[in-house]
Amino acid sequence: MSTGEPLNGAQIVLRALADQNVEHLFGYPGGAVLPIYDEIVQQDKVKHVLVRHEQGAGHAAEGYARSTGKPGVVLVTSGPGATNMVTALADAMMDSIPLVCLTGQVATQLIGNDAFQECDTVGITRQCTKHNWLVRDVNDLARIIHEAFYVATNGRPGPVVVDIPKDVQFAMGNYVGPHKIRHNTYHPKVKGDMEAIRQAVDMLADAKKPLFYTGGGVINSGPEASHLLRELVQLTGHPITSTLMGLGAYPASDKQWLGMLGMHGTYEANMAMYECDLMFCIGARFDDRITGRVDAFSPNSKKIHVDIDASSINKNIQVDLPIVGDVAHVLEDFLRIWRDRAHMPDKAASKVWWSEIDEWRARDCLKFKPNKDVIMPQYAIQRLYENCKGRETFVTTEVGQHQMWAAQFFHFDEPNHWMTSGGLGTMGYGMPAAIGVQMAHPDALVVDIAGDASILMNMQELSTAVQHKLPVKIFILNNQYMGMVRQWQQLLHGNRLSETYMESLPDFVKLAEAYGARGIRVEKPDDLDEAIKEMIEVDMPVLFDCRVANLANCFPMIPSGQPHNKMLLGEEVSDDDVGSAISDEGKVLV
Amino acid sequence: MSEPEEAIVSHTFSVLVDNEPGVLARVIGLFSSRGYNIDSLTVSETEHEKHVSRITVVSSATPMVLTQIRAQFERLVPVHKVRDLSNTERPLERELALIKVAGAGDARVEALRLADAFRATVIDATVNHFVFEITGRTSKINQFVALMEPLGLVEVARTGIAALSRGPKGIFDD
Ligand SMILES: Cc1ncc(C[n+]2csc(CCOP(=O)(O)OP(=O)(O)O)c2C)c(N)n1
Ligand SMILES: [Mg+2]
């Protein structure tokens, strides 16, 4: 819709955001975005959330996007504002999170002159965005912003950048509304090839030991995809596992759920991957943390791969049947054909397959030694989970052992309730992500399961939480180490701990108070439940310093360079096994 | 880690793109970030009114990687259409080269005679140099350059390959 009255570039930005139904904008001001900030303060459709560091704005927008299914939107200034966003963009790129990032740029006539706070934002972000634009003419601005939303959210989602020079923000130009835009080139295919889907139905019907291996693509496809997945899995009675990114798409409380797979996945999930005769991969990408050793990956299975991104197919693992399309669309067609053919599950085969799985389950791979005196990190997550049950709870994490324990011991029954940095593995993701989630879900319980090292990477965002009255709970598994790196040093480098002890950690309780938040410290297992309850009850941000066993290792584990059937189980390995688990070839793969 | 050993083959891709700023950087970035080889790359606007350019890329890799390259191209936002010309019947591939040769006496006569045989034309000359222009398949140009080597080859400029499929159908008729 053309507005008739002329608008300046900054007004066009706000108008376009409002027309895209943007309710929240995460940002940080600076010289090159002053005109846009001047418009922000004069309107109330789009609420601006001021962060403390641009990376925080990026991760907050990621958390917002992941928990709502809507794109996250950020606004930062030129130069350092833009470069501070790069990590979040790369993170969103890896995990397929729709982000629209608006950056200020120096005036067009200054571009290329090494002007103050100039950087080549489109150049720097080209490889870590799905697409980016430099707007040189104010009359292109509205179209480009609408295109940016379209590109970020269609096909495989991802981050985009729109770089807007300051003179363009001042210039007067024409506004066009979103419905006028039809993209010139980008029209990703959502419907799967029907012949391939029919073939997939036949393959599943013939399989004796089938396994569903699902990923973040199911969540990105929307709630309908999770719904259809549940229908399919329950209709067939087959086991299902998922990647880190896909947790919640299928309810963890269901008996067909085998737990997460991959490097720190469950024994039963990984053994099922190794032994299955049909692998039905839906919205996952055969990442190296999932496959382990590629030439020994699931040697006896036929593989079907559903993915909206054709470039994910046959990238790491050759599959027998690729289906390019959106998960929900493909599953809908699949289910219709499956039902039409009235396939009955092969009960006898299923019984044999499940009894094999039950034997693996009986190994109880997540077992750990309880302790009366010190809090075991796994126990802490178990108690956290039990105390959060019955509430609408969203969990974000930082990166490290705590992240893996969270994935293993906190169980998700719904999609969009688990946000973690999977592909890039970005320490410092969790707290800003929690802020984004809480912004979108003001009444829900939002917990960042954190590590003592990671939390310090974006600690400043506690101030954002306090300012915006966002009662996020930062649950720190404080082991005084960069635990995951320490574990690798033990595994790979003769337990020579190099720079992984967190000396001079702050007093987290005092730190919380300094920010105007609540601090809680717990050191004894017996005090844990009471303290967690308090954390949940207080209506303000909380830093929860949970002192846990310092040297616990995260098991089970597929050592690098090993196949799925060579897992190390925590209860069963000695320190010697741990020290020699990884071969020299495996070391380079870490 | 030993991938299944597969032969490396060379394929020619034709890619129609919106002629927007940065599109070439995107293509080059794709190849460098994923470690694909570029044997030849040409870009030029082909339909000015529609702002469309055609990129022709020759890359050598295993068939699995070549399929990847195609899929990676297809997911670039400004790409209209990708065609792997090597999957068509004997695609037409031509390259133009300018070749400077300096010398006198027998070598000079021999250079001119060979140029004639290769249908290269002289586009600049003095008594002690020629610049030849030659068009043809890459192998023909390689051969000509090799022959000029002992005859006083000074320098060579090549355009890289421009390619089309045979027959009446265009890239959108796949
Ligand atoms: C930004 C960034 N820098 C470095 C790393 C490498 N790294 C992975 S886990 C880890 C240690 C994390 O320590 P902590 O947050 O205390 O978690 P723990 O493993 O102890 O639970 C490090 C340094 C990373 N993932 N991200
Ligand atoms: Mg730690």
Side-chain angles (χ1 to χ4, degrees):
Chain A
M1 164 183 50
S2 203
T3 56
E5 90 247 44
L7 300 177
N8 70 31
Q11 290 165 331
I12 288 175
V13 169
L14 268 296
R15 180 68 194 272
L17 295 183
D19 283 353
Q20 288 288 345
N21 301 316
V22 174
E23 290 169 60
H24 296 101
L25 172 62
F26 300 89
Y28 206 91
V33 283
L34 279 173
I36 300 176
Y37 272 88
D38 193 39
E39 290 304 322
I40 286 176
V41 73
Q42 299 182 53
Q43 55 84 55
D44 51 16
K45 278 205 174 125
V46 183
K47 182 171 164 44
H48 182 269
V49 182
L50 178 69
V51 295
R52 299 298 181 267
H53 183 297
E54 289 85 354
Q55 185 190 354
H59 296 320
E62 286 187 87
Y64 185 90
R66 191 101 188 141
S67 68
T68 59
K70 299 199 300 183
V73 186
V74 295
L75 170 64
V76 297
T77 193
S78 65
T83 56
N84 275 348
M85 264 301 296
V86 169
T87 302
L89 292 170
D91 192 88
M93 187 71 178
M94 279 287 220
D95 286 345
S96 310
I97 312 294
L99 282 197
V100 175
C101 170
L102 308 176
T103 53
Q105 182 55 278
V106 300
T108 22
Q109 68 272 21
L110 292 177
I111 290 177
N113 284 350
D114 300 327
F116 178 62
Q117 294 196 326
E118 179 185 359
C119 74
D120 177 6
T121 301
V122 289
I124 290 171
T125 62
R126 191 171 287 124
Q127 295 307 117
C128 60
T129 52
K130 212 178 142 180
H131 198 61
N132 61 18
W133 295 259
L134 170 63
V135 184
R136 289 178 173 275
D137 181 344
V138 68
N139 291 310
D140 294 332
L141 181 57
R143 173 183 57 79
I144 289 176
I145 294 176
H146 296 312
E147 273 187 27
F149 276 88
Y150 170 83
V151 170
T153 53
N154 280 274
R156 179 175 176 175
V160 298
V161 166
V162 180
D163 199 23
I164 314 173
K166 197 167 175 183
D167 54 323
V168 173
Q169 299 170 33
F170 278 121
M172 302 301 284
N174 290 321
Y175 181 78
V176 286
H179 57 278
K180 283 237 174 116
I181 314 287
R182 187 179 184 279
H183 201 275
N184 223 351
T185 48
Y186 190 65
H187 302 286
K189 184 171 163 243
V190 291
K191 287 281 280 181
D193 176 62
M194 287 309 283
E195 192 40 51
I197 295 174
R198 265 181 226 114
Q199 221 178 312
V201 168
D202 290 340
M203 286 165 76
L204 187 63
D206 288 345
K208 306 277 178 242
K209 299 175 166 192
L211 175 66
F212 294 102
Y213 147 45
T214 61
V218 182
I219 303 203
N220 278 334
S221 174
E224 185 59 14
S226 295
H227 184 76
L228 292 164
L229 176 71
R230 290 162 189 222
E231 225 176 295
L232 172 62
V233 172
Q234 279 157 24
L235 199 63
T236 58
H238 301 316
I240 174 167
T241 178
S242 152
T243 65
L244 182 71
M245 295 309 292
L247 298 180
Y250 193 84
S253 54
D254 187 79
K255 59 187 189 320
Q256 282 165 256
W257 171 246
L258 302 188
M260 180 175 79
L261 82 160
M263 185 174 270
H264 292 291
T266 65
Y267 183 68
E268 49 271 34
N270 285 322
M271 287 304 290
M273 286 290 277
Y274 192 81
E275 296 288 347
C276 66
D277 70 349
L278 180 80
M279 184 181 292
F280 200 151
C281 170
I282 306 174
R285 60 184 174 90
F286 295 92
D287 164 276
D288 55 275
R289 303 281 110 156
I290 294 303
T291 58
R293 206 170 109 194
V294 187
D295 60 1
F297 176 72
S298 191
N300 305 315
S301 63
K302 290 245 183 294
K303 299 172 186 74
I304 302 171
H305 187 182
V306 180
D307 204 301
I308 197 159
D309 180 357
S311 77
S312 285
I313 292 173
N314 289 337
K315 182 172 64 180
N316 304 329
I317 296 288
Q318 280 270 3
V319 298
D320 300 276
L321 179 66
I323 302 176
V324 178
D326 167 62
V327 170
H329 282 83
V330 172
L331 289 187
E332 195 187 343
D333 287 333
F334 187 99
L335 273 162
R336 202 184 46 252
I337 298 169
W338 181 270
R339 286 214 172 87
D340 284 353
R341 302 220 181 140
H343 280 306
M344 292 309 269
D346 178 344
K347 289 238 170 70
S350 181
K351 204 167 161 218
V352 175
W353 184 216
W354 275 109
S355 70
E356 230 175 307
I357 292 170
D358 286 339
E359 272 173 43
W360 297 324
R361 272 181 169 163
R363 295 281 288 272
D364 197 5
C365 68
L366 294 175
K367 194 164 52 187
F368 59 94
K369 283 200 189 75
N371 194 312
K372 284 205 312 297
D373 305 315
V374 277
I375 301 175
M376 293 307 288
Q378 301 93 325
Y379 177 73
I381 306 283
Q382 281 179 335
R383 295 320 306 159
L384 178 66
Y385 173 65
E386 291 302 328
N387 281 288
C388 293
K389 251 191 192 164
R391 293 169 192 267
E392 161 123 78
T393 308
F394 293 83
V395 174
T396 71
T397 75
E398 307 292 335
V399 172
Q401 291 179 318
H402 62 275
Q403 177 188 29
M404 293 300 121
W405 283 317
Q408 293 171 339
F409 292 92
F410 206 105
H411 307 295
F412 298 92
D413 280 357
E414 294 302 328
N416 303 98
H417 284 64
W418 160 251
M419 355 280 136
T420 193
S421 171
L424 200 65
T426 310
M427 293 168 70
Y429 167 90
M431 173 150 55
I435 286 172
V437 174
Q438 189 86 72
M439 209 67 218
H441 307 274
D443 300 324
L445 174 61
V446 183
V447 184
D448 170 27
I449 297 178
D452 47 300
S454 295
I455 195 60
L456 290 176
M457 286 224 172
N458 274 321
M459 191 69 231
Q460 75 287 345
E461 298 307 328
L462 191 53
S463 172
T464 307
V466 171
Q467 179 192 344
H468 298 280
K469 302 201 166 42
L470 302 169
V472 294
K473 317 298 177 186
I474 314 301
F475 190 82
I476 307 172
L477 289 185
N478 184 351
N479 54 12
Q480 317 237 357
Y481 277 98
M482 297 175 199
M484 190 56 98
V485 183
R486 184 203 52 73
Q487 179 170 346
W488 284 108
Q489 290 177 339
Q490 183 181 357
L491 277 152
L492 297 170
H493 298 283
N495 207 22
R496 286 180 299 283
L497 303 190
S498 172
E499 305 291 328
T500 45
Y501 179 62
M502 291 300 288
E503 269 203 60
S504 311
L505 278 173
D507 177 332
F508 285 112
V509 172
K510 282 192 184 148
L511 187 60
E513 285 161 4
Y515 275 105
R518 178 72 64 87
I520 299 174
R521 176 173 301 119
V522 182
E523 300 180 66
K524 294 283 166 233
D526 286 344
D527 302 334
L528 194 53
D529 273 28
E530 217 36 57
I532 292 175
K533 289 202 176 78
E534 182 191 345
M535 172 188 90
I536 294 173
E537 288 312 323
V538 291
D539 188 24
M540 60 196 297
V542 177
L543 266 192
F544 191 103
D545 183 8
C546 185
R547 296 298 181 89
V548 296
N550 283 3
L551 298 176
N553 281 334
C554 186
F555 288 114
M557 167 171 196
I558 306 177
S560 306
Q562 299 283 354
H564 283 157
N565 61 346
K566 293 279 187 304
M567 282 203 97
L568 295 178
L569 270 62
E571 281 280 88
E572 299 171 11
V573 291
S574 68
D575 278 354
D576 279 354
D577 295 336
V578 171
S580 60
I582 297 183
S583 66
D584 285 348
E585 284 156 49
K587 282 182 186 171
V588 299
L589 299 172
V590 170
Chain B
M1 201 149 318
S2 55
E3 287 287 330
E5 294 246 287
E6 282 193 84
I8 304 278
V9 282
S10 165
H11 274 220
T12 305
F13 296 92
S14 198
V15 187
L16 278 197
V17 295
D18 255 6
N19 186 17
E20 56 170 51
V23 67
L24 181 58
R26 242 173 258 288
V27 169
I28 291 173
L30 168 66
F31 275 74
S32 64
S33 68
R34 304 218 173 240
Y36 306 143
N37 296 315
I38 301 182
D39 300 337
S40 165
L41 172 71
T42 65
V43 192
S44 190
E45 193 172 61
T46 47
E47 290 170 86
H48 181 66
E49 300 75 44
K50 292 193 200 156
H51 297 288
V52 169
S53 291
R54 188 183 287 256
I55 298 176
T56 308
V57 187
V58 183
S59 183
S60 32
T62 61
M64 186 161 155
V65 172
L66 288 167
T67 314
Q68 266 295 306
I69 292 176
R70 183 191 171 127
Q72 290 291 350
F73 267 128
E74 278 170 343
R75 78 186 193 133
L76 293 181
V77 170
V79 166
H80 284 277
K81 181 83 189 178
V82 184
R83 198 171 193 192
D84 182 345
L85 290 174
S86 304
N87 292 340
T88 68
E89 180 82 21
R90 292 180 301 128
L92 300 162
E93 300 183 354
R94 293 293 180 272
E95 200 181 346
L96 183 146
L98 303 182
I99 295 152
K100 186 176 286 187
V101 182
D106 286 351
R108 180 175 163 82
V109 176
E110 179 63 4
L112 196 60
R113 199 185 63 74
L114 283 166
D116 201 37
F118 275 77
R119 304 219 191 124
T121 50
V122 177
I123 57 172
D124 181 48
T126 62
V127 287
N128 44 27
H129 93 285
F130 292 116
V131 176
F132 297 117
E133 174 190 323
I134 180 169
T135 313
R137 296 183 63 91
T138 297
S139 54
K140 169 179 162 182
I141 294 173
N142 289 347
Q143 198 186 356
F144 186 66
V145 171
L147 288 168
M148 289 302 115
E149 190 82 50
L151 303 177
L153 181 70
V154 179
E155 59 187 357
V156 183
R158 296 170 73 150
T159 56
I161 289 167
L164 284 180
S165 64
R166 284 176 195 269
K169 287 185 177 166
I171 191 165
F172 286 108
D173 299 326
D174 263 354

